[in-house]
Amino acid sequence: MVVTVRSLGLGGLSGYEVSVECFLSGGLPAFDIVGLPDAAVKEARERVRAAVKNCGAKYPVSRITVNLAPASQRKEGTVYDLPIFLGILAASEELPPLPADAAFIGELSLTGRLRPVSGVLPMAMAAPRLGIRQLYLPAENAAEATLAQGLTVYPVETVEQLVAHLRGQAPLSPAPIWQPQPRERQQQPDFADVMGQETVKRALEIAAAGGHNILLIGSPGSGKSMLARRLPSILPDMTREESLQTTEIYSVAGLTEARHPLVTSRPFRSPHHTASAVSLTGGGAVPKPGEISLAHNGVLFLDELPEFDKSAMETLRQPLEDGVVTITRASGSLTLPSRFMLVCAMNPCRCGWYGHPERRCTCSPRQVESYMRRISGPLLDRIDLHIEVPSVDYEAMRRKDSPESSREVQRRVNAARKIQQRRYEGTGISCNAYMVPAMIGKYCALDEKCEAIMRSAFDRLGLTGRSHDRILRVARTIADLDGAEAIAPAHIAEAIQYRSSGILK
């Protein structure tokens, strides 16, 4: 007798249906799993055997063959433990026929308890498209699965509960749709802690309002890292769509929380400068999301930028331009979303004191040039704002009045983002930094005075076509912060100022 149990698999960030076919036949007892299973799937034999015996059911003394279809696609992980378990019991007539519109996923312990698995949200979101209306899965994954619409989710603690439910003895209750609950706000670093550096704060506000990339250059102790780590406190609130996109990535990476499965705060990823290219882009034998995908809809902060490996830095080029990263391996190709704000911090030279008004730089001109050349021109060209962070003077440190708080700055950022959301509604564009060339021509039109300023800067600074467009995007954001319909000369002049760092010339 052949029994088919519906289940779900994961290919990158997309869920697909897996049919678990179980066949019991005569002959010497054996247990074979076919259909390109990995080691974790093959080991399901022992977990399922122990779970069947420990839940009080009769383990069939037969030749058991389990096929995972489609057989041409590699299966990985422990999500198939539960459907294999149910298939064996149904094939041995220990269970009645399973519902045709139900799917089952979950890892089994030897005692029959269900353990949580990764990638539940993408699989749950794919289920309704596949005609699946009921999803049975570990209780710890239930809240995450309810984020998908058009699906009844049944949380299962043990296989005994599920067997009783399927026999009609003790029905399970569907999980309620998870709603965001008020969380205790963690004390975030606040802009009010930073004395002075008003120009840098203004640049960070513009970057947050328009989603622009920013590079902070300054001597040690000037506050580059301190300012960058306060950026999350002024970032705009996430939309529901952005939260779901980010949560899907975190679900595949196994980073979601059972109590708070939806990512509602913009990610802030800060990998160490020893990070490899693979850890940034993602990969492995079976490709998984890397840092730039985990930073999707948030911030990727690279401190001490020149200390990163050159190949790791160059992997940022495509994601910064296209908003996606494509990973190609022998097992296949995978495209992951990677719309993030790149925030970088660096010293002007190896000793850190080049250009400082009081400290003496010990680097030779050649060493300074060599240090700066570690960052390629094409990568710098993709960074919208280049900001020099000066050392803080004594008077600023001793100032009695309190600086502006992050909450006040965030109000202006949210107001500017709402303008952008209305402007780009229905286009798939969320902020000014992602405008396509056609939109730049439409929304960044310049009058004669602005044209004259832009033409002068283009010739004087030797701008490229890409940097020209990025200046216009930044000017559009500055105008949005001012609530202006059109870009004014003051807006374009300020945007050019953030692109003309003396240190990088």
Side-chain angles (χ1 to χ4, degrees):
M1 179 180 180
V2 178
V3 171
T4 300
V5 182
R6 300 181 77 177
S7 187
L8 295 161
L10 200 60
L13 294 183
S14 302
Y16 66 95
E17 183 172 356
V18 174
S19 297
V20 179
E21 302 169 346
C22 297
F23 175 57
L24 304 185
S25 61
L28 293 175
F31 194 158
D32 296 315
I33 300 178
V34 297
L36 284 184
D38 71 353
V41 179
K42 290 179 180 178
E43 289 172 354
R45 293 175 298 194
E46 308 308 322
R47 294 189 294 272
V48 168
R49 182 182 287 112
V52 170
K53 293 180 178 179
N54 286 323
C55 77
K58 183 179 179 182
Y59 188 80
V61 183
S62 308
R63 184 177 183 85
I64 303 171
T65 304
V66 174
N67 178 45
L68 306 178
S72 59
Q73 192 156 355
R74 187 164 183 80
K75 319 301 183 306
E76 61 166 356
T78 56
V79 295
Y80 306 111
D81 289 7
L82 183 59
I84 292 173
F85 170 90
L86 294 174
I88 291 173
L89 291 190
S92 60
E93 299 182 348
E94 291 273 336
L95 286 177
L98 302 176
D101 62 349
F104 304 83
I105 58 175
E107 176 185 337
L108 294 179
S109 71
L110 298 183
T111 61
R113 294 193 64 84
L114 266 69
R115 292 196 173 108
V117 293
S118 301
V120 165
L121 182 57
M123 289 189 282
M125 294 186 75
R129 299 194 300 269
L130 301 169
I132 295 170
R133 297 289 176 263
Q134 304 176 56
L135 182 61
Y136 295 82
L137 76 176
E140 290 183 49
N141 292 129
E144 181 180 333
T146 61
L147 297 175
Q149 297 179 344
L151 192 66
T152 303
V153 177
Y154 289 94
V156 182
E157 294 280 354
T158 65
V159 290
E160 290 95 332
Q161 286 182 345
L162 182 55
V163 168
H165 169 82
L166 295 173
R167 288 172 175 169
Q169 298 168 348
L172 291 169
S173 299
I177 296 176
W178 185 85
Q179 298 293 339
Q181 302 295 324
R183 302 180 65 174
E184 292 185 12
R185 288 183 65 88
Q186 295 181 348
Q187 193 64 30
Q188 278 191 324
D190 197 286
F191 268 24
D193 304 331
V194 183
M195 297 298 179
Q197 305 293 17
E198 300 304 324
T199 301
V200 186
K201 290 180 186 176
R202 167 68 174 171
L204 287 170
E205 179 181 341
I206 294 168
H212 302 290
N213 306 319
I214 184 169
L215 171 63
L216 305 178
I217 313 158
S219 56
S222 58
K224 304 183 297 297
S225 300
M226 181 183 184
L227 285 158
R229 294 188 184 282
R230 279 155 177 75
L231 181 60
S233 66
I234 67 169
L235 291 176
D237 299 327
M238 294 184 83
T239 64
R240 173 77 175 183
E241 183 182 359
E242 288 176 331
S243 290
L244 286 173
Q245 289 173 357
T246 306
T247 303
E248 283 190 276
I249 298 170
Y250 274 61
S251 177
V252 171
L255 298 176
T256 52
E257 301 177 30
R259 294 182 59 190
H260 301 280
L262 185 66
V263 177
T264 54
S265 298
R266 294 190 181 273
F268 183 87
R269 306 293 299 184
S270 180
H272 192 260
H273 61 257
T274 56
S276 65
V278 172
S279 69
L280 289 179
T281 60
V286 178
K288 294 289 185 182
E291 291 291 338
I292 62 176
S293 292
L294 294 172
H296 183 60
N297 292 320
V299 174
L300 179 66
F301 176 46
L302 303 183
D303 202 2
E304 304 296 345
L305 180 63
E307 301 301 327
F308 279 81
D309 184 74
K310 188 174 181 62
S311 63
M313 285 192 283
E314 294 307 304
T315 59
L316 298 173
R317 286 204 210 173
Q318 182 209 1
L320 287 174
E321 200 69 26
D322 303 334
V324 296
V325 58
T326 302
I327 306 166
T328 303
R329 297 289 184 270
S331 58
S333 181
L334 173 66
T335 298
L336 298 171
S338 56
R339 287 279 188 200
F340 58 90
M341 279 179 60
L342 177 64
V343 179
C344 305
M346 61 176 288
N347 296 326
C349 66
R350 186 166 291 280
C351 79
W353 304 110
Y354 177 72
H356 194 275
E358 298 172 4
R359 298 289 293 268
R360 180 175 178 272
C361 175
T362 59
C363 303
S364 67
R366 186 170 183 176
Q367 287 174 322
V368 173
E369 182 183 359
S370 175
Y371 187 75
M372 299 304 296
R373 285 176 61 185
R374 290 179 63 87
I375 308 168
S376 69
L379 179 58
L380 281 175
D381 206 30
R382 287 167 167 81
I383 300 177
D384 305 30
L385 298 94
H386 304 161
I387 309 300
E388 292 185 39
V389 183
S391 297
V392 183
D393 58 29
Y394 182 79
E395 294 301 325
M397 294 294 295
R398 305 307 302 168
R399 194 172 62 184
K400 297 290 178 71
D401 56 320
S402 178
E404 191 175 30
S405 70
S406 292
R407 187 177 294 274
E408 294 168 359
V409 178
Q410 191 188 38
R411 288 196 192 100
R412 296 195 295 269
V413 170
N414 275 327
R417 276 293 177 102
K418 286 178 182 176
I419 292 172
Q420 295 166 46
Q421 288 168 5
R422 289 194 295 269
R423 179 186 297 140
Y424 308 125
E425 189 174 5
T427 64
I429 302 296
S430 59
C431 58
N432 290 332
Y434 307 143
M435 274 193 287
V436 297
M439 290 179 175
I440 294 174
K442 181 178 180 181
Y443 299 117
C444 301
L446 303 180
D447 59 20
E448 289 185 8
K449 290 184 179 179
C450 292
E451 281 283 5
I453 295 171
M454 193 67 208
R455 185 180 295 109
S456 173
F458 192 88
D459 296 335
R460 177 168 47 87
L461 300 176
L463 300 177
T464 64
R466 180 186 288 115
S467 54
H468 168 273
D469 288 352
R470 289 187 179 273
I471 287 174
L472 291 180
R473 292 184 180 108
V474 173
R476 180 67 267 172
T477 299
I478 297 170
D480 289 342
L481 283 167
D482 286 350
E485 186 68 28
I487 297 174
H491 303 145
I492 200 77
E494 185 178 1
I496 292 169
Q497 172 192 334
Y498 295 134
R499 193 77 186 191
S500 54
S501 170
I503 290 178
L504 291 176
K505 288 181 181 177

